[in-house]
Amino acid sequence: MRRIIMSTVAAIALCSAAAADTIKVGVVGPFSGPFALQGKNFKAGIDAYIATHGGGKIGDDDIEIIYRDVPQADPAQSKALAQELVVKEGVQYLAGFYFTPDAMAVTPLLEQANVPLVVMNAATSAIITKSPLIIRTSFTTWQTSAPMAKVAKERGITKVITVVSDYGPGVDAENAFKATFGAEGGTVVESIRMPLATNDFSPIMQRVKDSGAEAVFAFLPSGPTTLGFVKAYNENGLKQAGVQFLAPGDLTQESDLPALGDPALGILTTFHYAVSHDSPENKAFVEAASKAIGNPAELSFPSVGAYDGMHVIYKMIEATGGEQDAQKAVDAVKGLAWESPRGPVEIDASSRHITQNIYLREVAKHEDGTFYNKEIKTFEKQGDPGLAAVK
């Protein structure tokens, strides 16, 4: 039965593309529910790119974006929606995917459906290995976490406790930090993995206090959980006790900073993008994306993954002349380099993952009282060290 369904997927996808001069892109993400802001950022990045690159046309072809909502991680629903997008809507490209389990669930569809997948957020290193038709324009937690271990050692921290959500990216963040910190001569005194549904962090904070660690390295998926975790860190007296807070930038996304307030000042993160990044390309992007999202205070990192994802999709469409040829499309963007709003980036020709700068940032405050992530150091041309761990 499964073979028949997959053959139908492939046949309908090919037929629908052959006669069309409207090229459809299916985007799956959280557009409602607790993570709706992340989906809203996907859409803002996509809209910003389209508005500044021809208004939805590539040559004679029109580009149509079709959205499907998965409010929180749901692999079965994500796979069903992706199949619907290919079979019923005739999309030539799949994109989006905020959560790793959702992206993983879709990978078996790609080759038989002749459709590439552009991952705009999901951050587990292993995703890219599941199909030769996947391109990633976001980041991985190995890529953003390993530099923080180097920062910790440089700042004289010798003992750290890690606290992560117990799913793919969280495990990757833990492993990245432990491997890099150990290589630098540091010690991870304890590692805690929390269920994704955890929302009471007080017991965790007590374990951090009792561990004797000089710092806590944390990872949770951006959204309500990260906001709650950072607030618990402050409310349970860890900052006052001198336990430093280290994390990849998911934990201080710009849209959460007003709610975190002054207690967040000084928190160090390493990440691929800050809305405050100082470049002409980013200024133009922030202007367009702020207009698209409506409230500039809601703009955050998923927008730039989506914006650059559309850049890659446009290049794929140009290379294939609008015809449906997933492998040709992917091959065309291997080695593609450009100046992104985040800085110089390149699609690595062998891994199909994005090479980019990772920035050390510190939560700071402008004179007008607004909070931002201040970039204070650059780790240039970072690939994904996590790929070695999954091979």
Side-chain angles (χ1 to χ4, degrees):
M1 183 65 180
R2 181 177 178 274
R3 184 176 298 172
I4 294 172
I5 291 171
M6 290 305 301
S7 298
T8 303
V9 168
I12 296 178
L14 287 169
C15 291
S16 63
D21 60 359
T22 295
I23 299 169
K24 298 179 180 181
V25 179
V27 178
V28 178
F31 299 103
S32 68
F35 297 94
L37 183 57
Q38 311 307 91
K40 192 173 182 180
N41 269 271
F42 273 173
K43 190 172 188 303
I46 291 167
D47 288 349
Y49 192 87
I50 291 172
T52 54
H53 291 80
K57 290 189 76 70
I58 300 180
D60 294 330
D61 294 322
D62 294 318
I63 308 301
E64 180 183 352
I65 312 298
I66 303 173
Y67 293 95
R68 290 293 182 268
D69 179 27
V70 182
Q72 47 198 345
D74 189 335
Q77 178 71 354
S78 296
K79 185 175 182 178
L81 290 175
Q83 186 162 304
E84 176 198 319
L85 284 165
V86 172
V87 174
K88 293 185 178 179
E89 300 290 349
V91 302
Q92 287 183 237
Y93 297 86
L94 286 169
F97 295 93
Y98 186 71
F99 295 104
T100 285
D102 296 347
M104 288 285 204
V106 169
T107 59
L109 303 176
L110 303 178
E111 290 187 61
Q112 292 186 57
N114 193 28
V115 173
L117 169 60
V118 178
V119 176
M120 294 176 170
N121 189 77
T124 300
S125 295
I127 295 171
I128 209 83
T129 69
K130 299 304 179 183
S131 169
L133 299 180
I134 302 171
I135 300 286
R136 193 198 314 265
T137 59
S138 52
F139 62 100
T140 71
T141 46
W142 267 89
Q143 190 179 42
T144 58
S145 298
M148 181 51 80
K150 296 181 180 180
V151 170
K153 196 63 173 63
E154 287 170 1
R155 293 183 171 233
I157 297 169
T158 59
K159 294 188 296 181
V160 175
I161 181 172
T162 63
V163 181
V164 304
S165 294
D166 192 7
Y167 78 127
V171 174
D172 273 7
E174 175 193 293
N175 290 337
F177 187 89
K178 288 174 72 173
T180 310
F181 196 51
E184 294 287 329
T187 301
V188 173
V189 298
E190 187 178 354
S191 294
I192 300 171
R193 295 182 182 178
M194 307 172 292
L196 265 174
T198 302
N199 53 34
D200 179 9
F201 301 108
S202 294
I204 302 291
M205 296 306 161
Q206 189 59 51
R207 288 178 65 179
V208 172
K209 281 183 185 178
D210 295 342
S211 71
E214 300 157 326
V216 56
F217 172 82
F219 174 85
L220 303 89
S222 289
T225 50
T226 55
L227 181 59
F229 187 90
V230 178
K231 291 181 77 171
Y233 163 81
N234 289 305
E235 291 169 358
N236 285 271
L238 271 73
K239 186 173 184 178
Q240 294 86 338
V243 179
Q244 296 191 53
F245 192 109
L246 312 173
D250 313 72
L251 276 84
T252 60
Q253 66 171 342
E254 282 78 5
S255 53
D256 286 344
L257 291 178
L260 293 173
D262 286 339
L265 290 171
I267 286 179
L268 296 175
T269 58
T270 42
F271 218 38
H272 64 296
Y273 178 67
V275 174
S276 62
H277 181 69
D278 186 15
S279 73
E281 291 80 9
N282 190 49
K283 286 181 172 64
F285 165 71
V286 169
E287 181 179 356
S290 294
K291 187 180 297 183
I293 204 167
N295 179 3
E298 293 181 334
L299 197 64
S300 187
F301 67 90
S303 62
V304 81
Y307 182 88
D308 286 334
M310 288 307 299
H311 180 72
V312 167
I313 289 170
Y314 270 46
K315 293 298 182 183
M316 288 176 166
I317 293 169
E318 290 171 1
T320 57
E323 296 300 316
Q324 185 154 4
D325 187 334
Q327 192 60 62
K328 182 178 180 180
V330 170
D331 289 344
V333 296
K334 291 178 179 177
L336 179 68
W338 70 99
E339 191 68 26
S340 160
R342 69 186 96 175
V345 298
E346 181 177 353
I347 301 300
D348 181 84
S350 59
S351 71
R352 292 164 281 109
H353 172 66
I354 194 164
T355 299
Q356 59 193 326
N357 293 343
I358 300 298
Y359 305 96
L360 173 63
R361 307 104 50 82
E362 182 177 33
V363 177
K365 187 188 284 190
H366 288 297
E367 289 183 1
D368 65 2
T370 57
F371 297 91
Y372 70 109
N373 288 300
K374 180 181 180 182
E375 293 176 354
I376 56 179
K377 182 176 181 176
T378 303
F379 296 86
E380 295 185 345
K381 296 181 179 178
Q382 300 294 299
D384 179 19
L387 286 172
V390 297
K391 287 181 178 177

